[in-house]
Amino acid sequence: MIIALTGQRRVGKSYVLRELERIIKHRNPEANIVYINKEKKEFDSIKNDSDLSAHIADKFPEDGDNYLLIDEVQDIDGFENSLRSLNADEECQIIVTGSNAKMLSSELSTYLGGRYIDIHIQSLSYQEFLRFHNLEDLAESLELYLSFGGLPTCIALALTTKIWSGNIFRIFITLSY
């Protein structure tokens, strides 16, 4: 089965894909992994399913432990044609990420013909946000969560409560907390 990691942008799909790659390499250092990241310039030449098929041709030895990992697969026109073919031939385990409407909608099942498992990556819950940022459950922490949301990429930001001011928000926190 093809594994599709779906979810909104910046939620951590690429990170999960890289972690899966790391786990595969740790469990089997001999694994043959083809990793395509459509956000990188080096893969700009892969525009459609024909380009994808040409790029991966002869990269999967028979009887090998083969993996195809594609980050932002929706940026390849007709990607489903190559993936269905690879899946039918059982040449490799396929894991992809995607975040646009095509990947998030029920159209994905049409494109891949039911040959996939959708794993929806969610943003952090409030409790996860607290653990992730090493915060206590305080009104200021809730204000940060409501201001920045639960996207893991916020770790790179200097979280500050200066964003919100005014009595309406403070009343909301008082009533909710």
Side-chain angles (χ1 to χ4, degrees), residues 51-117:
D51 298 335
L52 176 59
S53 294
H55 180 81
I56 60 176
D58 302 324
K59 290 192 176 168
F60 297 123
E62 286 187 37
D63 299 324
D65 196 8
N66 299 312
Y67 297 85
L68 174 61
L69 284 63
I70 306 176
D71 202 357
E72 301 295 348
V73 72
Q74 77 278 351
D75 291 344
I76 302 171
D77 291 331
F79 67 87
E80 64 277 3
N81 299 323
S82 292
L83 297 188
R84 280 196 316 256
S85 178
L86 281 170
N87 192 52
D89 293 341
E90 298 181 357
E91 289 185 50
C92 60
Q93 172 63 61
I94 303 166
I95 307 171
V96 300
T97 72
S99 52
N100 76 356
K102 182 189 245 187
M103 291 294 293
L104 297 175
S105 73
S106 60
E107 288 181 50
L108 187 58
S109 61
T110 302
Y111 288 122
L112 297 179
R115 298 174 184 96
Y116 77 103
I117 299 169

Side-chain angles (χ1 to χ4, degrees), residues 21 43 46 48 77:
E21 178 187 33
F43 299 107
I46 304 173
N48 56 46
D77 291 331

Side-chain angles (χ1 to χ4, degrees), residues 17-28:
L17 188 64
R18 281 291 185 193
E19 279 299 298
L20 289 171
E21 178 187 33
R22 187 188 64 74
I23 290 167
I24 292 166
K25 284 181 180 178
H26 178 75
R27 288 187 177 168
N28 181 3

